[in-house]
Amino acid sequence: MDRTSPNRRTIPAGAQLSTWTAPDGWSLRRFDWRGRGERGRLLFLTGRGDFIEKYIETFAHFVGCGWSVTAFDWRGQGGSGRFGANPRIGHIADFDILVRDLTAFWAEWAAEPGPRVVLGHSLGGHLVHRALVEGAIDPQAAVLVAPMLGLKAPLGAALSGWVAHMLAGRGDPARAAWKEGERPGSRLSRQALLTHDPARYADEQFWLDCCPELKLGPPSWAWLAEAFASTAAVARDPRLAAMPVPVLMLLADRDALIDSRAARRIARVMADATVVRFGAESAHEILREADGVRDRALAAIDRFLDARAPRA
């Protein structure tokens, strides 16, 4: 795909949007782009507040490499409905719900033969990592891009998690943890927190203008408390060191949303983890960054998958 192509703002020919129904009856919006498919199958899982369309350009790269790509919007965001009365607040009472969705989806999706790999960004990276440690999914290889294995918190994760838990228990747990933006009190613009590439940043707003129902604002106190609790639980899980699936982590050292140092500490504990680091040239959305960063990231992923999930 040409980097300047308007196809970043179009559902590709041959791709399909549909719904997948979870075991409890909740409908999740799903994307499938089979392409040639001779390389294998790749499940792509997005971050908090994201939606499928943000990553069409990245999907095109993998389809061009021969992968069939599937993605879905997490329950409570994108086109997969909302919890709570305010559809602009990212609320969920328990991350176990999201892990159960991933587990059930994987069981159906992975039934076809051939290499199966998973890629998770940010929140998606945490939920993939947690599902791997818990043995809920079994890909040949996994890629975690800016994974939420720890949150940036000025008071520290433990104290911030305690505060979030206390505030979630007082009043409405679905109320917004802050007014707007990706994090409270940031001196950086939302774009600066996410990407240095203004055109790719503008793609997101294009889709939100077309489909305003996809828009999500700040998280709830309950969501925030769950994020601190879930990441802490995985970090101390005794199964972490024995988890056998090879993992590639792409980390931005200057990431202002997730704690890349916590991710590096966790990688050192894992049996088979490769870390690729980016400096000040990259913000949080590594795969939606300027061309130099994005190209390097995709090349690292391609090399890793060629080595760890070779063609059948």
Side-chain angles (χ1 to χ4, degrees), residues 283-304:
H284 180 60
E285 292 185 342
I286 298 172
L287 295 180
R288 299 182 68 244
E289 258 294 356
D291 293 341
V293 171
R294 182 175 178 274
D295 291 348
R296 180 184 164 207
L298 290 172
I301 294 171
D302 292 343
R303 288 193 300 270
F304 174 77

Side-chain angles (χ1 to χ4, degrees), residues 76-263:
Q77 65 181 52
S80 295
R82 298 289 191 273
F83 296 100
N86 188 335
R88 296 293 178 258
I89 297 175
H91 173 64
I92 194 166
D94 192 339
F95 273 23
D96 287 354
I97 299 169
L98 303 179
V99 176
R100 288 197 295 269
D101 284 344
L102 174 55
T103 302
F105 189 93
W106 181 270
E108 293 183 18
W109 177 84
E112 293 187 20
R116 305 180 310 275
V117 302
V118 63
L119 188 158
H121 163 68
S122 195
L123 168 65
H126 165 62
L127 294 170
V128 166
H129 187 245
R130 178 173 157 178
L132 291 170
V133 171
E134 294 177 358
I137 62 174
D138 60 344
Q140 274 71 40
V143 179
L144 309 181
V145 181
M148 193 187 76
L149 305 189
L151 286 77
K152 275 288 176 69
L155 300 178
L159 181 55
S160 297
W162 179 83
V163 170
H165 176 75
M166 291 295 293
L167 291 173
R170 296 179 179 176
D172 180 7
R175 70 192 188 281
W178 53 81
K179 289 185 178 181
E180 59 184 17
E182 295 300 320
R183 59 173 295 180
S186 176
R187 297 181 180 179
L188 299 174
S189 68
R190 183 174 183 274
Q191 179 188 326
L193 290 169
L194 298 181
T195 175
H196 294 88
D197 191 297
R200 290 191 173 100
Y201 182 75
D203 291 337
E204 178 182 18
Q205 190 58 51
F206 167 84
W207 284 107
L208 292 177
D209 289 342
C210 292
C211 309
E213 70 275 9
L214 300 177
K215 183 175 177 61
L216 197 69
S220 69
W221 281 112
W223 188 99
L224 198 60
E226 277 294 297
F228 281 114
S230 185
T231 52
V234 176
R236 63 176 179 262
D237 194 312
R239 297 169 290 185
L240 178 63
M243 196 277 292
V245 177
V247 171
L248 172 67
M249 285 191 198
L250 304 184
L251 302 174
D253 290 347
R254 301 286 185 88
D255 197 320
L257 297 179
I258 65 99
D259 186 348
S260 60
R261 290 178 299 176

Side-chain angles (χ1 to χ4, degrees), residues 54-65:
K54 280 183 67 170
Y55 284 92
I56 285 174
E57 183 182 23
T58 299
F59 300 159
H61 169 82
F62 290 118
V63 169
C65 292

